Amino acid sequence: MPGHRKIIHCDADCFYAAIEIRDNPYLRGRPVAVGGSSERRGVISTCNYEARRYGVHSAMASAQALSLCPELILLPGNMEKYKLASAVMRNIFCDYTELVEPLSLDEAYLDVTHANAHNGSATRIAEEIRQRVFEQLHITISAGVAPSKFLAKIASDWNKPDGLFVITPQQAERFIHELPVRKIHGVGRVTAEKLHTLGITTCADLKRFGLERLNRQFGSFGERLYQLSMGIDQRQVKPDRVRKSLSVEHTYAKDLIDADACLEQLPDLLQQLQHRLGKLAQDYDIKKAFVKVKFNDFHSTTLERDGTRDRLEDYRSLLREALQRDNKPVRLLGIGVRFDCSENTLESPAIPQLDLF
Ligand code: TTP
Ligand code: MG
């Protein structure tokens, strides 16, 4: 199809847990999670689908997971094994195209528009990738094939686990029309609720709502939503490049009224940041830490310091100082780290956290 891109999004199924089960047949068929121990206030990194049936999910406190599912087998995990499996997957991806953009250890976009294998059939390439991953690693991955990153990512989730879903350019318009907005990457629970109160449930509703009103309600994210509802997503698949920083941020439903309220949010943010750091495909040296504060008048400020790291006390002191720059309630907090880029460290760009409120 001239003019149309062919994007594949691959995502391993319950990745860490799948590797553990592969290596210990006793675990098969039982509810299994990888995560920190409940005694140490750990959280679940992931769990298999047996455990998900009990309501266990990533980022849940391990203690809560065990109370939902007392027979849950909780394992500490082994990053070295996951990184090795990730490298094997990436090698397979690179057999089809140079345009491979890893998003995390178990996820990547591939642009196979100009691939030669299987006469350029993206569907057959995706099937072969899934099969080869299974043969070499004994874990399953799901894949989505579509004309854009936006749709490929949704498609890989459609028939998960161990599934393939294809959205052809001809099907794209209809698919988007019926697509629930909560399926859009970046639309979390809070945004979805706000959209619903505006009468917007599907992408067709988004389109009807119109660019201007979306912009007024959601700022630049509204514009983005409108474009997606029109099927416009020109983002290219970008192969590895130097990663300079990693950060997480959150916009709060209610403004945080004082410094204590802000400081209270730090452990949660730090946990998210450390999770994202753990998912990076390789190790980085952290050079400094930074905080970002957006006040309720939208004035924002960032503060960073050499020698700081991803430690709670570093963020506490940075945040206290940043908050002294203005005396207003706070609508957004972010924390992050900058990496030492003197060596040629390669990684894909950050996936922005598009939490709006
Ligand atoms: P995901 O691809 O988000 O999850 P998954 O592969 O476990 O499950 P799914 O079948 O839904 O794709 O994340 C990949 C790995 O990253 C996951 O196995 C463990 C790790 N991870 C965390 O450590 N914490 C988290 O909060 C999430 C979401 C993932
Ligand atoms: Mg996965």
Side-chain angles (χ1 to χ4, degrees):
M1 262 293 220
H4 288 296
R5 293 185 298 153
K6 296 177 189 172
I7 313 290
I8 302 176
H9 179 258
C10 294
D11 181 359
D13 304 317
C14 49
F15 182 49
Y16 295 1
I19 298 277
E20 297 304 325
I21 294 163
R22 174 195 74 181
D23 294 346
N24 180 356
Y26 169 80
L27 300 173
R28 195 164 297 281
R30 297 183 152 86
V32 174
V34 173
S37 98
S38 55
E39 285 105 61
R40 289 205 234 139
R41 307 184 64 209
V43 292
I44 301 294
S45 299
T46 192
C47 61
N48 65 352
Y49 286 74
E50 282 82 349
R52 290 181 199 193
R53 276 199 279 280
Y54 291 83
V56 179
H57 59 74
S58 296
M60 174 182 271
S62 299
Q64 192 191 349
L66 284 164
S67 75
L68 286 171
C69 176
E71 61 269 48
L72 183 70
I73 301 170
L74 181 59
L75 304 166
N78 181 337
M79 282 314 288
E80 289 313 309
K81 275 208 281 192
Y82 312 147
K83 286 187 176 173
L84 188 62
S86 177
V88 172
M89 280 197 276
R90 201 169 301 177
N91 276 339
I92 294 175
F93 300 156
C94 291
D95 279 346
Y96 300 90
T97 174
E98 285 172 11
L99 296 175
V100 175
E101 177 178 334
L103 298 174
S104 68
L105 283 182
D106 83 324
E107 235 184 285
Y109 287 113
L110 285 67
D111 184 332
V112 294
T113 312
H114 302 293
N116 295 322
H118 296 294
N119 288 325
S121 160
T123 305
R124 284 169 61 201
I125 291 173
E127 251 326 336
E128 186 171 280
I129 288 174
R130 287 183 358 91
Q131 195 184 331
R132 287 180 64 192
V133 169
F134 186 72
E135 282 165 5
Q136 288 189 32
L137 289 170
H138 306 285
I139 63 167
T140 59
I141 69 169
S142 298
V145 177
S148 66
K149 281 178 150 183
F150 163 56
L151 290 176
K153 180 143 174 119
I154 292 171
S156 72
D157 207 42
W158 213 254
N159 282 334
K160 214 175 209 321
D162 197 12
L164 172 71
F165 189 68
V166 180
I167 303 168
T168 64
Q170 293 76 10
Q171 293 162 341
E173 190 178 339
R174 171 108 194 252
F175 182 88
I176 295 169
H177 195 79
E178 293 166 3
L179 185 70
V181 283
R182 65 186 150 73
K183 292 272 184 192
I184 299 176
H185 186 60
V187 174
R189 191 179 50 82
V190 182
T191 312
E193 274 168 20
K194 166 139 195 202
L195 285 165
H196 288 177
T197 60
L198 296 167
I200 300 169
T201 313
T202 64
C203 285
D205 300 331
L206 269 179
K207 203 165 154 183
R208 262 195 299 274
F209 198 76
L211 174 60
E212 218 169 276
R213 281 201 289 168
L214 282 171
N215 197 324
R216 220 177 307 136
Q217 294 282 347
F218 299 97
S220 60
F221 187 58
E223 261 174 62
R224 175 95 191 109
L225 286 175
Y226 184 74
Q227 283 178 346
L228 294 177
S229 77
M230 303 282 288
I232 301 169
D233 176 26
Q234 305 289 6
R235 287 173 301 152
Q236 300 295 309
V237 172
K238 297 195 196 97
D240 285 349
R241 61 170 163 172
V242 176
R243 177 192 272 282
K244 299 194 175 104
S245 66
L246 182 76
S247 63
V248 295
E249 59 183 48
H250 191 85
T251 310
Y252 296 93
K254 279 203 187 122
D255 291 343
L256 305 169
I257 46 159
D258 57 18
D260 283 345
C262 292
L263 289 163
E264 235 172 64
Q265 300 299 328
L266 280 179
D268 269 358
L269 286 170
L270 184 57
Q271 192 217 314
Q272 286 173 37
L273 179 70
Q274 285 174 339
H275 158 56
R276 297 273 296 274
L277 283 166
K279 280 180 77 176
L280 291 180
Q282 58 189 84
D283 297 325
Y284 290 92
D285 285 334
I286 294 171
K287 201 166 81 180
K288 53 175 90 165
F290 65 92
V291 296
K292 172 178 165 187
V293 178
K294 193 187 272 180
F295 297 96
N296 72 345
D297 63 353
F298 284 81
H299 159 230
S300 67
T301 184
T302 56
L303 184 65
E304 60 185 52
R305 192 169 296 133
D306 275 329
T308 49
R309 280 193 54 88
D310 57 333
R311 288 176 300 232
L312 191 56
E313 61 266 33
D314 290 324
Y315 289 115
R316 278 181 179 283
S317 90
L318 282 169
L319 183 57
R320 277 207 190 88
E321 199 175 323
L323 288 168
Q324 282 165 8
R325 293 178 172 173
D326 210 332
N327 195 20
K328 298 202 177 68
V330 167
R331 59 178 268 121
L332 173 150
L333 284 179
I335 64 171
V337 288
R338 296 201 196 288
F339 298 120
D340 185 354
C341 297
S342 44
E343 287 171 48
N344 245 2
T345 41
L346 292 177
E347 177 65 37
S348 61
I351 322 157
Q353 190 207 352
L354 296 168
D355 227 322
L356 285 173
F357 302 104

